[in-house]
Short mmCIF file of all heavy atoms in Angstrom, two decimals:
data_model
loop_
_atom_site.label_atom_id
_atom_site.label_comp_id
_atom_site.label_asym_id
_atom_site.label_seq_id
_atom_site.Cartn_x
_atom_site.Cartn_y
_atom_site.Cartn_z
N MET A 25 86.84 66.14 177.67
CA MET A 25 87.10 66.28 179.09
C MET A 25 87.12 64.90 179.72
O MET A 25 86.21 64.10 179.52
CB MET A 25 86.00 67.14 179.71
CG MET A 25 86.17 67.36 181.16
SD MET A 25 84.95 68.55 181.68
CE MET A 25 84.87 68.13 183.36
N GLY A 26 88.13 64.62 180.49
CA GLY A 26 88.25 63.32 181.12
C GLY A 26 87.54 63.27 182.46
O GLY A 26 87.15 64.28 183.04
N ILE A 27 87.38 62.07 182.98
CA ILE A 27 86.66 61.85 184.24
C ILE A 27 87.37 62.49 185.41
O ILE A 27 86.74 62.87 186.39
CB ILE A 27 86.44 60.33 184.48
CG1 ILE A 27 85.44 60.08 185.60
CG2 ILE A 27 87.75 59.65 184.85
CD1 ILE A 27 84.06 59.98 185.12
N ASN A 28 88.69 62.68 185.33
CA ASN A 28 89.45 63.20 186.46
C ASN A 28 89.82 64.67 186.30
O ASN A 28 90.58 65.20 187.07
CB ASN A 28 90.72 62.37 186.65
CG ASN A 28 91.22 62.43 188.08
OD1 ASN A 28 90.44 62.57 189.00
ND2 ASN A 28 92.52 62.34 188.25
N LYS A 29 89.25 65.34 185.28
CA LYS A 29 89.55 66.75 185.04
C LYS A 29 88.44 67.61 185.63
O LYS A 29 87.26 67.38 185.38
CB LYS A 29 89.66 67.03 183.54
CG LYS A 29 90.10 68.44 183.24
CD LYS A 29 90.29 68.66 181.76
CE LYS A 29 90.72 70.10 181.53
NZ LYS A 29 90.71 70.42 180.12
N GLN A 30 88.82 68.61 186.42
CA GLN A 30 87.84 69.49 187.03
C GLN A 30 87.26 70.45 186.01
O GLN A 30 87.88 70.76 185.00
CB GLN A 30 88.47 70.27 188.18
CG GLN A 30 88.83 69.39 189.35
CD GLN A 30 89.30 70.22 190.54
OE1 GLN A 30 89.48 71.41 190.46
NE2 GLN A 30 89.51 69.53 191.65
N SER A 31 86.05 70.93 186.29
CA SER A 31 85.35 71.85 185.41
C SER A 31 84.70 72.96 186.24
O SER A 31 84.36 72.75 187.40
CB SER A 31 84.27 71.09 184.64
OG SER A 31 83.44 72.00 183.94
N ASP A 32 84.52 74.10 185.64
CA ASP A 32 83.84 75.21 186.30
C ASP A 32 82.36 75.27 185.93
O ASP A 32 81.66 76.19 186.34
CB ASP A 32 84.51 76.54 185.92
CG ASP A 32 85.91 76.66 186.49
OD1 ASP A 32 86.17 76.05 187.54
OD2 ASP A 32 86.75 77.35 185.89
N ILE A 33 81.87 74.31 185.17
CA ILE A 33 80.47 74.29 184.75
C ILE A 33 79.60 73.82 185.91
O ILE A 33 79.86 72.78 186.50
CB ILE A 33 80.26 73.38 183.53
CG1 ILE A 33 81.07 73.89 182.34
CG2 ILE A 33 78.79 73.28 183.18
CD1 ILE A 33 81.09 72.95 181.15
N ALA A 34 78.57 74.59 186.21
CA ALA A 34 77.63 74.21 187.26
C ALA A 34 76.43 73.51 186.63
O ALA A 34 76.01 73.86 185.52
CB ALA A 34 77.17 75.44 188.02
N ALA A 35 75.90 72.52 187.33
CA ALA A 35 74.74 71.78 186.82
C ALA A 35 73.88 71.30 187.97
O ALA A 35 74.36 71.14 189.10
CB ALA A 35 75.20 70.59 185.98
N ASN A 36 72.63 71.09 187.68
CA ASN A 36 71.69 70.49 188.62
C ASN A 36 71.32 69.11 188.10
O ASN A 36 71.26 68.89 186.89
CB ASN A 36 70.41 71.34 188.73
CG ASN A 36 70.69 72.69 189.33
OD1 ASN A 36 71.38 72.79 190.33
ND2 ASN A 36 70.16 73.73 188.71
N ILE A 37 71.05 68.19 189.02
CA ILE A 37 70.67 66.84 188.63
C ILE A 37 69.43 66.43 189.39
O ILE A 37 69.30 66.73 190.59
CB ILE A 37 71.84 65.84 188.86
CG1 ILE A 37 71.49 64.47 188.32
CG2 ILE A 37 72.22 65.78 190.31
CD1 ILE A 37 72.67 63.50 188.31
N GLN A 38 68.51 65.81 188.68
CA GLN A 38 67.30 65.25 189.29
C GLN A 38 67.20 63.79 188.85
O GLN A 38 67.53 63.47 187.70
CB GLN A 38 66.06 66.00 188.83
CG GLN A 38 66.01 67.45 189.23
CD GLN A 38 64.79 68.15 188.67
OE1 GLN A 38 63.80 67.51 188.33
NE2 GLN A 38 64.86 69.46 188.57
N ILE A 39 66.74 62.95 189.74
CA ILE A 39 66.59 61.52 189.43
C ILE A 39 65.23 61.08 189.91
O ILE A 39 64.84 61.36 191.05
CB ILE A 39 67.68 60.68 190.12
CG1 ILE A 39 69.07 61.16 189.69
CG2 ILE A 39 67.50 59.19 189.81
CD1 ILE A 39 70.21 60.56 190.48
N GLY A 40 64.49 60.38 189.06
CA GLY A 40 63.18 59.90 189.46
C GLY A 40 62.56 59.02 188.39
O GLY A 40 63.07 58.89 187.28
N PRO A 41 61.42 58.41 188.73
CA PRO A 41 60.73 57.54 187.78
C PRO A 41 59.89 58.36 186.80
O PRO A 41 59.44 59.46 187.12
CB PRO A 41 59.82 56.71 188.68
CG PRO A 41 59.53 57.61 189.84
CD PRO A 41 60.78 58.42 190.04
N THR A 42 59.71 57.83 185.59
CA THR A 42 58.82 58.45 184.62
C THR A 42 57.51 57.67 184.59
O THR A 42 57.44 56.53 185.08
CB THR A 42 59.43 58.46 183.21
OG1 THR A 42 59.48 57.12 182.72
CG2 THR A 42 60.83 59.07 183.22
N ASP A 43 56.49 58.25 183.97
CA ASP A 43 55.22 57.55 183.87
C ASP A 43 55.26 56.42 182.85
O ASP A 43 54.31 55.65 182.73
CB ASP A 43 54.08 58.52 183.55
CG ASP A 43 54.29 59.32 182.28
OD1 ASP A 43 55.31 59.09 181.58
OD2 ASP A 43 53.45 60.19 181.99
N ALA A 44 56.40 56.29 182.15
CA ALA A 44 56.58 55.19 181.19
C ALA A 44 57.35 54.02 181.81
O ALA A 44 57.75 53.09 181.11
CB ALA A 44 57.32 55.69 179.95
N GLY A 45 57.58 54.06 183.14
CA GLY A 45 58.27 52.96 183.81
C GLY A 45 59.78 52.99 183.67
O GLY A 45 60.45 51.98 183.89
N MET A 46 60.32 54.13 183.32
CA MET A 46 61.77 54.28 183.19
C MET A 46 62.28 55.10 184.38
O MET A 46 61.50 55.72 185.10
CB MET A 46 62.11 55.02 181.88
CG MET A 46 61.59 54.33 180.63
SD MET A 46 62.41 52.78 180.29
CE MET A 46 63.92 53.37 179.55
N VAL A 47 63.60 55.09 184.56
CA VAL A 47 64.24 55.94 185.55
C VAL A 47 64.94 57.04 184.77
O VAL A 47 65.72 56.76 183.86
CB VAL A 47 65.25 55.16 186.41
CG1 VAL A 47 65.99 56.09 187.35
CG2 VAL A 47 64.55 54.06 187.18
N ARG A 48 64.64 58.28 185.10
CA ARG A 48 65.23 59.42 184.39
C ARG A 48 66.25 60.12 185.27
O ARG A 48 66.00 60.43 186.42
CB ARG A 48 64.17 60.42 183.96
CG ARG A 48 64.78 61.65 183.26
CD ARG A 48 63.75 62.48 182.56
NE ARG A 48 63.28 61.71 181.41
CZ ARG A 48 62.22 62.06 180.69
NH1 ARG A 48 61.51 63.11 181.00
NH2 ARG A 48 61.87 61.31 179.66
N ILE A 49 67.43 60.34 184.68
CA ILE A 49 68.43 61.23 185.25
C ILE A 49 68.36 62.47 184.38
O ILE A 49 68.61 62.41 183.18
CB ILE A 49 69.84 60.61 185.23
CG1 ILE A 49 69.89 59.33 186.06
CG2 ILE A 49 70.88 61.63 185.72
CD1 ILE A 49 71.21 58.59 185.99
N TYR A 50 67.99 63.58 184.99
CA TYR A 50 67.80 64.83 184.25
C TYR A 50 68.87 65.81 184.70
O TYR A 50 68.98 66.13 185.89
CB TYR A 50 66.41 65.40 184.52
CG TYR A 50 66.11 66.66 183.75
CD1 TYR A 50 65.76 66.61 182.41
CD2 TYR A 50 66.20 67.90 184.37
CE1 TYR A 50 65.49 67.76 181.71
CE2 TYR A 50 65.93 69.06 183.67
CZ TYR A 50 65.58 68.98 182.34
OH TYR A 50 65.31 70.13 181.64
N ILE A 51 69.68 66.28 183.74
CA ILE A 51 70.76 67.20 184.03
C ILE A 51 70.47 68.53 183.35
O ILE A 51 70.17 68.58 182.16
CB ILE A 51 72.12 66.64 183.55
CG1 ILE A 51 72.39 65.30 184.24
CG2 ILE A 51 73.24 67.64 183.80
CD1 ILE A 51 73.53 64.52 183.66
N GLU A 52 70.54 69.58 184.14
CA GLU A 52 70.35 70.94 183.63
C GLU A 52 71.62 71.71 183.94
O GLU A 52 72.00 71.85 185.10
CB GLU A 52 69.15 71.58 184.32
CG GLU A 52 68.84 72.98 183.87
CD GLU A 52 67.66 73.56 184.63
OE1 GLU A 52 67.38 73.12 185.76
OE2 GLU A 52 67.04 74.47 184.08
N ALA A 53 72.30 72.19 182.88
CA ALA A 53 73.58 72.87 183.06
C ALA A 53 73.51 74.30 182.53
O ALA A 53 72.58 74.67 181.81
CB ALA A 53 74.68 72.10 182.34
N GLU A 54 74.53 75.05 182.88
CA GLU A 54 74.65 76.42 182.40
C GLU A 54 74.61 76.46 180.89
O GLU A 54 75.00 75.50 180.22
CB GLU A 54 75.96 77.03 182.88
CG GLU A 54 76.06 77.19 184.38
CD GLU A 54 77.43 77.68 184.81
OE1 GLU A 54 78.39 77.61 184.01
OE2 GLU A 54 77.54 78.12 185.96
N GLY A 55 74.12 77.55 180.34
CA GLY A 55 74.10 77.71 178.90
C GLY A 55 72.88 77.07 178.24
O GLY A 55 72.87 76.86 177.04
N GLY A 56 71.87 76.73 179.03
CA GLY A 56 70.65 76.17 178.45
C GLY A 56 70.73 74.70 178.07
O GLY A 56 69.98 74.24 177.23
N VAL A 57 71.63 73.97 178.69
CA VAL A 57 71.76 72.54 178.40
C VAL A 57 70.78 71.75 179.27
O VAL A 57 70.85 71.81 180.49
CB VAL A 57 73.20 72.05 178.65
CG1 VAL A 57 73.30 70.54 178.46
CG2 VAL A 57 74.17 72.77 177.75
N ASP A 58 69.85 71.04 178.65
CA ASP A 58 68.92 70.14 179.34
C ASP A 58 69.15 68.75 178.77
O ASP A 58 69.03 68.55 177.57
CB ASP A 58 67.46 70.55 179.10
CG ASP A 58 67.13 71.88 179.75
OD1 ASP A 58 67.71 72.18 180.80
OD2 ASP A 58 66.29 72.61 179.20
N LEU A 59 69.48 67.80 179.65
CA LEU A 59 69.83 66.47 179.19
C LEU A 59 69.04 65.42 179.96
O LEU A 59 69.40 65.05 181.07
CB LEU A 59 71.34 66.24 179.38
CG LEU A 59 71.94 64.96 178.83
CD1 LEU A 59 71.73 64.85 177.33
CD2 LEU A 59 73.41 64.91 179.16
N PRO A 60 67.92 64.94 179.39
CA PRO A 60 67.17 63.85 180.03
C PRO A 60 67.74 62.50 179.58
O PRO A 60 67.88 62.24 178.39
CB PRO A 60 65.74 64.05 179.50
CG PRO A 60 65.93 64.72 178.18
CD PRO A 60 67.20 65.51 178.26
N LEU A 61 68.10 61.67 180.54
CA LEU A 61 68.65 60.34 180.25
C LEU A 61 67.71 59.31 180.86
O LEU A 61 67.54 59.28 182.08
CB LEU A 61 70.05 60.20 180.84
CG LEU A 61 71.08 61.25 180.39
CD1 LEU A 61 72.32 61.18 181.26
CD2 LEU A 61 71.42 61.04 178.94
N ASP A 62 67.10 58.47 180.04
CA ASP A 62 66.16 57.46 180.52
C ASP A 62 66.79 56.08 180.50
O ASP A 62 67.45 55.71 179.52
CB ASP A 62 64.89 57.46 179.67
CG ASP A 62 64.06 58.71 179.85
OD1 ASP A 62 64.31 59.45 180.82
OD2 ASP A 62 63.17 58.96 179.03
N PHE A 63 66.55 55.33 181.58
CA PHE A 63 67.10 53.98 181.72
C PHE A 63 66.01 53.05 182.19
O PHE A 63 65.16 53.44 183.00
CB PHE A 63 68.25 53.97 182.74
CG PHE A 63 69.35 54.93 182.41
CD1 PHE A 63 69.35 56.22 182.91
CD2 PHE A 63 70.39 54.53 181.58
CE1 PHE A 63 70.37 57.11 182.59
CE2 PHE A 63 71.41 55.42 181.27
CZ PHE A 63 71.40 56.71 181.77
N ASP A 64 66.06 51.80 181.74
CA ASP A 64 65.12 50.84 182.32
C ASP A 64 65.60 50.53 183.74
O ASP A 64 66.73 50.83 184.11
CB ASP A 64 64.97 49.59 181.45
CG ASP A 64 66.23 48.75 181.30
OD1 ASP A 64 66.94 48.55 182.31
OD2 ASP A 64 66.50 48.26 180.19
N PRO A 65 64.73 50.00 184.59
CA PRO A 65 65.09 49.79 185.99
C PRO A 65 66.36 48.97 186.20
O PRO A 65 67.15 49.27 187.11
CB PRO A 65 63.86 49.08 186.57
CG PRO A 65 62.74 49.58 185.74
CD PRO A 65 63.31 49.69 184.35
N GLU A 66 66.60 47.97 185.37
CA GLU A 66 67.81 47.15 185.52
C GLU A 66 69.06 47.97 185.25
O GLU A 66 70.06 47.86 185.97
CB GLU A 66 67.76 45.92 184.60
CG GLU A 66 66.72 44.89 185.01
CD GLU A 66 65.27 45.29 184.64
OE1 GLU A 66 65.08 46.15 183.76
OE2 GLU A 66 64.35 44.75 185.27
N GLU A 67 69.02 48.81 184.19
CA GLU A 67 70.16 49.67 183.90
C GLU A 67 70.38 50.66 185.04
O GLU A 67 71.53 50.94 185.41
CB GLU A 67 69.92 50.46 182.60
CG GLU A 67 69.96 49.62 181.35
CD GLU A 67 69.57 50.44 180.12
OE1 GLU A 67 68.53 51.13 180.16
OE2 GLU A 67 70.33 50.37 179.13
N ALA A 68 69.31 51.18 185.59
CA ALA A 68 69.42 52.13 186.70
C ALA A 68 70.08 51.48 187.91
O ALA A 68 70.89 52.10 188.60
CB ALA A 68 68.04 52.68 187.07
N GLU A 69 69.75 50.22 188.18
CA GLU A 69 70.39 49.50 189.29
C GLU A 69 71.87 49.31 189.04
O GLU A 69 72.69 49.42 189.96
CB GLU A 69 69.68 48.18 189.53
CG GLU A 69 68.31 48.36 190.15
CD GLU A 69 67.52 47.07 190.28
OE1 GLU A 69 67.86 46.07 189.62
OE2 GLU A 69 66.53 47.07 191.04
N GLU A 70 72.25 49.03 187.78
CA GLU A 70 73.67 48.89 187.44
C GLU A 70 74.40 50.21 187.66
O GLU A 70 75.52 50.24 188.18
CB GLU A 70 73.84 48.44 186.00
CG GLU A 70 73.43 47.00 185.75
CD GLU A 70 73.52 46.60 184.28
OE1 GLU A 70 74.20 47.31 183.51
OE2 GLU A 70 72.91 45.59 183.92
N ILE A 71 73.76 51.32 187.27
CA ILE A 71 74.36 52.64 187.48
C ILE A 71 74.53 52.90 188.97
O ILE A 71 75.56 53.41 189.41
CB ILE A 71 73.51 53.73 186.80
CG1 ILE A 71 73.59 53.57 185.28
CG2 ILE A 71 73.96 55.12 187.24
CD1 ILE A 71 72.56 54.39 184.52
N ALA A 72 73.52 52.55 189.76
CA ALA A 72 73.60 52.74 191.21
C ALA A 72 74.77 51.94 191.80
O ALA A 72 75.50 52.45 192.66
CB ALA A 72 72.28 52.33 191.87
N GLU A 73 74.98 50.73 191.32
CA GLU A 73 76.11 49.92 191.80
C GLU A 73 77.44 50.57 191.43
O GLU A 73 78.38 50.58 192.24
CB GLU A 73 76.04 48.51 191.20
CG GLU A 73 74.92 47.66 191.77
CD GLU A 73 74.79 46.31 191.06
OE1 GLU A 73 75.70 45.92 190.31
OE2 GLU A 73 73.76 45.66 191.27
N GLU A 74 77.52 51.13 190.21
CA GLU A 74 78.75 51.80 189.79
C GLU A 74 79.00 53.05 190.63
O GLU A 74 80.15 53.35 190.98
CB GLU A 74 78.68 52.15 188.30
CG GLU A 74 78.75 50.92 187.41
CD GLU A 74 78.68 51.26 185.94
OE1 GLU A 74 79.13 52.36 185.54
OE2 GLU A 74 78.18 50.43 185.17
N LEU A 75 77.94 53.79 190.96
CA LEU A 75 78.08 54.96 191.83
C LEU A 75 78.59 54.56 193.21
O LEU A 75 79.48 55.21 193.78
CB LEU A 75 76.75 55.69 191.96
CG LEU A 75 76.36 56.59 190.79
CD1 LEU A 75 74.90 57.01 190.91
CD2 LEU A 75 77.27 57.81 190.75
N ARG A 76 78.03 53.48 193.75
CA ARG A 76 78.49 53.02 195.07
C ARG A 76 79.96 52.60 195.02
O ARG A 76 80.74 52.91 195.93
CB ARG A 76 77.63 51.86 195.55
CG ARG A 76 76.27 52.28 196.02
CD ARG A 76 75.50 51.12 196.64
NE ARG A 76 74.12 51.46 196.80
CZ ARG A 76 73.14 51.09 195.97
NH1 ARG A 76 73.38 50.32 194.94
NH2 ARG A 76 71.90 51.47 196.17
N ALA A 77 80.36 51.89 193.97
CA ALA A 77 81.76 51.46 193.84
C ALA A 77 82.68 52.67 193.70
O ALA A 77 83.77 52.70 194.28
CB ALA A 77 81.91 50.52 192.64
N ALA A 78 82.25 53.68 192.94
CA ALA A 78 83.07 54.89 192.77
C ALA A 78 83.18 55.64 194.10
O ALA A 78 84.26 56.17 194.43
CB ALA A 78 82.47 55.79 191.70
N ALA A 79 82.09 55.70 194.86
CA ALA A 79 82.13 56.37 196.17
C ALA A 79 83.09 55.64 197.10
O ALA A 79 83.87 56.27 197.83
CB ALA A 79 80.72 56.44 196.77
N GLU A 80 83.06 54.32 197.08
CA GLU A 80 83.96 53.54 197.91
C GLU A 80 85.42 53.78 197.51
O GLU A 80 86.29 53.98 198.36
CB GLU A 80 83.63 52.05 197.79
CG GLU A 80 84.48 51.16 198.66
CD GLU A 80 84.12 49.68 198.52
OE1 GLU A 80 82.99 49.37 198.12
OE2 GLU A 80 84.99 48.85 198.84
N ALA A 81 85.69 53.82 196.20
CA ALA A 81 87.04 54.07 195.73
C ALA A 81 87.50 55.47 196.12
O ALA A 81 88.66 55.67 196.52
CB ALA A 81 87.11 53.90 194.21
N ALA A 82 86.60 56.46 196.02
CA ALA A 82 86.96 57.83 196.40
C ALA A 82 87.28 57.92 197.88
O ALA A 82 88.23 58.61 198.28
CB ALA A 82 85.81 58.78 196.05
N ARG A 83 86.51 57.21 198.72
CA ARG A 83 86.80 57.20 200.16
C ARG A 83 88.18 56.59 200.43
O ARG A 83 88.95 57.11 201.24
CB ARG A 83 85.75 56.40 200.91
CG ARG A 83 84.51 57.17 201.21
CD ARG A 83 83.62 56.41 202.19
NE ARG A 83 82.28 56.91 202.08
CZ ARG A 83 81.30 56.36 201.36
NH1 ARG A 83 81.50 55.25 200.71
NH2 ARG A 83 80.12 56.92 201.30
N LEU A 84 88.47 55.49 199.77
CA LEU A 84 89.78 54.85 199.95
C LEU A 84 90.90 55.78 199.53
O LEU A 84 91.93 55.87 200.21
CB LEU A 84 89.84 53.54 199.16
CG LEU A 84 88.99 52.39 199.68
CD1 LEU A 84 89.01 51.22 198.69
CD2 LEU A 84 89.48 51.93 201.04
N MET A 85 90.72 56.46 198.42
CA MET A 85 91.75 57.39 197.94
C MET A 85 91.93 58.54 198.91
O MET A 85 93.06 58.96 199.18
CB MET A 85 91.39 57.90 196.55
CG MET A 85 91.43 56.83 195.49
SD MET A 85 90.80 57.43 193.93
CE MET A 85 92.32 57.87 193.14
N ALA A 86 90.84 59.05 199.45
CA ALA A 86 90.92 60.15 200.41
C ALA A 86 91.63 59.68 201.69
O ALA A 86 92.44 60.42 202.26
CB ALA A 86 89.53 60.68 200.74
N ASP A 87 91.32 58.46 202.12
CA ASP A 87 91.96 57.92 203.32
C ASP A 87 93.45 57.70 203.12
O ASP A 87 94.22 57.75 204.08
CB ASP A 87 91.31 56.59 203.72
CG ASP A 87 89.90 56.77 204.26
OD1 ASP A 87 89.52 57.92 204.58
OD2 ASP A 87 89.18 55.76 204.35
N GLN A 88 93.86 57.46 201.87
CA GLN A 88 95.27 57.22 201.57
C GLN A 88 95.97 58.49 201.11
O GLN A 88 97.07 58.43 200.59
CB GLN A 88 95.39 56.15 200.48
CG GLN A 88 94.89 54.80 200.91
CD GLN A 88 94.89 53.80 199.77
OE1 GLN A 88 95.26 54.11 198.64
NE2 GLN A 88 94.48 52.58 200.04
N GLY A 89 95.32 59.62 201.26
CA GLY A 89 95.94 60.89 200.87
C GLY A 89 96.01 61.08 199.38
O GLY A 89 96.92 61.74 198.88
N GLY A 90 95.06 60.51 198.63
CA GLY A 90 95.02 60.70 197.20
C GLY A 90 95.81 59.68 196.40
O GLY A 90 95.84 59.71 195.19
N LYS A 91 96.48 58.77 197.07
CA LYS A 91 97.22 57.73 196.37
C LYS A 91 96.26 56.75 195.73
O LYS A 91 95.21 56.44 196.28
CB LYS A 91 98.14 56.96 197.32
CG LYS A 91 99.21 57.81 197.94
CD LYS A 91 100.02 57.00 198.92
CE LYS A 91 101.01 57.88 199.66
NZ LYS A 91 101.69 57.17 200.72
N SER A 92 96.60 56.27 194.55
CA SER A 92 95.73 55.34 193.84
C SER A 92 95.68 54.00 194.56
O SER A 92 96.70 53.37 194.77
CB SER A 92 96.22 55.13 192.41
OG SER A 92 95.40 54.20 191.74
N GLY A 93 94.48 53.63 194.96
CA GLY A 93 94.32 52.36 195.65
C GLY A 93 93.72 51.29 194.77
O GLY A 93 93.35 50.23 195.24
N GLY A 94 93.57 51.58 193.49
CA GLY A 94 92.97 50.60 192.60
C GLY A 94 91.46 50.65 192.67
O GLY A 94 90.87 51.30 193.51
N LYS A 95 90.84 49.95 191.76
CA LYS A 95 89.38 49.92 191.70
C LYS A 95 88.85 48.87 192.65
O LYS A 95 89.32 47.74 192.66
CB LYS A 95 88.96 49.59 190.26
CG LYS A 95 87.49 49.68 190.03
CD LYS A 95 87.16 49.46 188.56
CE LYS A 95 85.69 49.54 188.33
NZ LYS A 95 85.36 49.31 186.92
N PRO A 96 87.88 49.24 193.48
CA PRO A 96 87.31 48.25 194.41
C PRO A 96 86.50 47.23 193.66
O PRO A 96 86.02 47.48 192.55
CB PRO A 96 86.43 49.07 195.34
CG PRO A 96 86.06 50.25 194.52
CD PRO A 96 87.24 50.52 193.61
N ARG A 97 86.33 46.07 194.24
CA ARG A 97 85.53 45.05 193.60
C ARG A 97 84.07 45.41 193.68
O ARG A 97 83.63 46.09 194.61
CB ARG A 97 85.79 43.70 194.22
CG ARG A 97 85.32 43.60 195.64
CD ARG A 97 85.42 42.16 196.14
NE ARG A 97 84.47 42.01 197.21
CZ ARG A 97 84.81 41.81 198.47
NH1 ARG A 97 86.07 41.70 198.78
NH2 ARG A 97 83.91 41.71 199.38
N ARG A 98 83.30 44.95 192.70
CA ARG A 98 81.88 45.20 192.68
C ARG A 98 81.19 44.23 193.61
O ARG A 98 81.60 43.10 193.80
CB ARG A 98 81.31 45.01 191.28
CG ARG A 98 81.77 46.10 190.34
CD ARG A 98 81.18 45.87 189.01
NE ARG A 98 80.09 46.82 188.84
CZ ARG A 98 79.33 46.87 187.78
NH1 ARG A 98 79.51 46.03 186.81
NH2 ARG A 98 78.40 47.77 187.67
N ARG A 99 80.09 44.70 194.21
CA ARG A 99 79.33 43.85 195.13
C ARG A 99 78.30 43.07 194.39
O ARG A 99 77.81 43.38 193.41
CB ARG A 99 78.63 44.70 196.17
CG ARG A 99 79.63 45.38 197.06
CD ARG A 99 78.90 46.23 198.06
NE ARG A 99 79.86 47.07 198.72
CZ ARG A 99 79.55 47.96 199.60
NH1 ARG A 99 78.32 48.15 199.94
NH2 ARG A 99 80.46 48.69 200.16
#
């Protein structure tokens, strides 16, 4: 499945710190799928930057009526 392909699978996501000093992204999906993903704080910050850049790109695309506006620069 590609990043731009829609899916009918529903999932819940939780994000928080662990007692081991990691940041956990926990995904629970239909069919009994539980996916804990642990990242050190630096990796978590990189992921947060990528999420912000993707949100900015999505806003630009929506403002342009879905036309590809290219990838925004990272901050």
